[in-house]
Amino acid sequence: MATDYDAPRKNDDDTSEDSIEELKGRRNEAANPTVDEDEAEAADGFELPGADLSNEELSVRVLPRQADEFTCGSCFLVKHRSQIDHVEGNLIICKECAA
């Protein structure tokens, strides 16, 4: 049997249209969550395997600011001199902060 996918899909149950009040009520019910759960409390119950890093020691090599870098006076990130937008007094501002 061939199916016409372009034909409107209506069942016998769909013949009665919902009133605007019923639709508004459904929308308000859907907008109000029925479960009020604190995310922090829910996250405390989960423990990932291998997540205990208490015995681990991290070592990171920190390099000093290079001659072709500057520290932005707005976001305080170290950036390459090609990212300079303008200078305000003695503060250098990067292109991202100036936008």
Side-chain angles (χ1 to χ4, degrees), residues 4 8-9 29-30 37 53 56 62 65-66 92-93 95:
D4 184 9
R9 297 180 189 166
E29 289 173 4
E37 184 176 348
L53 300 175
E56 295 294 322
V62 178
R65 186 176 67 212
Q66 303 297 309
I92 304 172
I93 307 298
K95 291 181 180 181

Side-chain angles (χ1 to χ4, degrees), residues 23-63:
L23 294 175
K24 285 182 182 179
R26 288 185 199 162
R27 182 181 64 190
N28 290 338
E29 289 173 4
N32 295 333
T34 57
V35 177
D36 188 20
E37 184 176 348
D38 187 17
E39 292 178 8
E41 289 179 14
D44 289 340
F46 296 112
E47 186 164 332
L48 300 175
D52 183 17
L53 300 175
S54 59
N55 295 329
E56 295 294 322
E57 184 174 321
L58 301 176
S59 60
V60 178
R61 185 174 170 217
V62 178
L63 298 175

Side-chain angles (χ1 to χ4, degrees), residues 6 31 42 45 47 54 69 72 75 84 86 95 97:
D6 294 329
E47 186 164 332
S54 59
E69 295 176 333
C72 176
C75 65
I84 293 176
H86 66 277
K95 291 181 180 181
C97 292

